[in-house]
Amino acid sequence: EFSGMLSQIPYAVRANHLLNHSGDIVQTEMVTERYGPQPRNTMDVYKPSGPSKEGEGRPVCLFVHGGVWVSGDKWHYAPLARRLSEQGVVTCVMEYTLFPAAQAAAMVHEVDAALEWVFENIRSH
């Protein structure tokens, strides 16, 4: 996993540069939530600043990273999540247990648990 993380550094540097130079930056709030018992069963929830329109909710996106089940971390997608949040979307970027610590069936179960967490808890955000 460490070598996979190192290979992502050039992407993260470019993405962060674009984020910081894309015009007006809108503040977003990010909190980390736990959706299951495994160490990687967490998600970062990016919330748009300011209230939503009265009587209306906000759109929600649950982002599940790729990486052929062996690599990927939430922070890789922070620029994407911030950008969606700037557009008014509550964005949840999850992590799941990677191979070889888990097989595909366990990963699918973790994605399902994250989706269930979103359905049950996102209104508090």
Side-chain angles (χ1 to χ4, degrees):
E1 185 175 337
F2 181 71
S3 63
M5 182 181 75
L6 288 178
S7 70
Q8 296 296 317
I9 289 174
Y11 162 77
V13 169
R14 286 192 313 272
N16 193 50
H17 175 76
L18 289 172
L19 174 69
N20 290 328
H21 297 89
S22 62
D24 294 334
I25 300 297
V26 176
Q27 289 292 342
T28 60
E29 180 183 348
M30 189 275 290
V31 295
T32 300
E33 298 284 0
R34 177 159 290 287
Y35 69 85
Q38 299 303 319
R40 288 179 54 95
N41 289 171
T42 62
M43 70 175 72
D44 290 343
V45 180
Y46 293 80
K47 303 185 290 185
S49 63
S52 59
K53 293 179 183 176
E54 190 171 323
E56 292 184 22
R58 295 187 187 270
V60 177
C61 172
L62 173 61
F63 186 85
V64 182
H65 67 78
V68 295
W69 305 106
V70 297
S71 67
D73 288 294
K74 305 179 287 194
W75 68 268
H76 297 162
Y77 307 98
L80 169 88
R82 285 191 191 108
R83 185 70 178 122
L84 286 171
S85 182
E86 289 173 2
Q87 298 301 310
V89 178
V90 177
T91 307
C92 306
V93 182
M94 64 169 290
E95 288 185 326
Y96 51 86
T97 307
L98 302 172
F99 182 83
Q103 300 295 312
M107 296 171 201
V108 169
H109 176 73
E110 290 178 15
V111 171
D112 182 57
L115 184 60
E116 184 175 334
W117 184 95
V118 169
F119 278 118
E120 292 177 358
N121 297 284
I122 204 62
R123 289 187 193 276
S124 66
H125 294 281

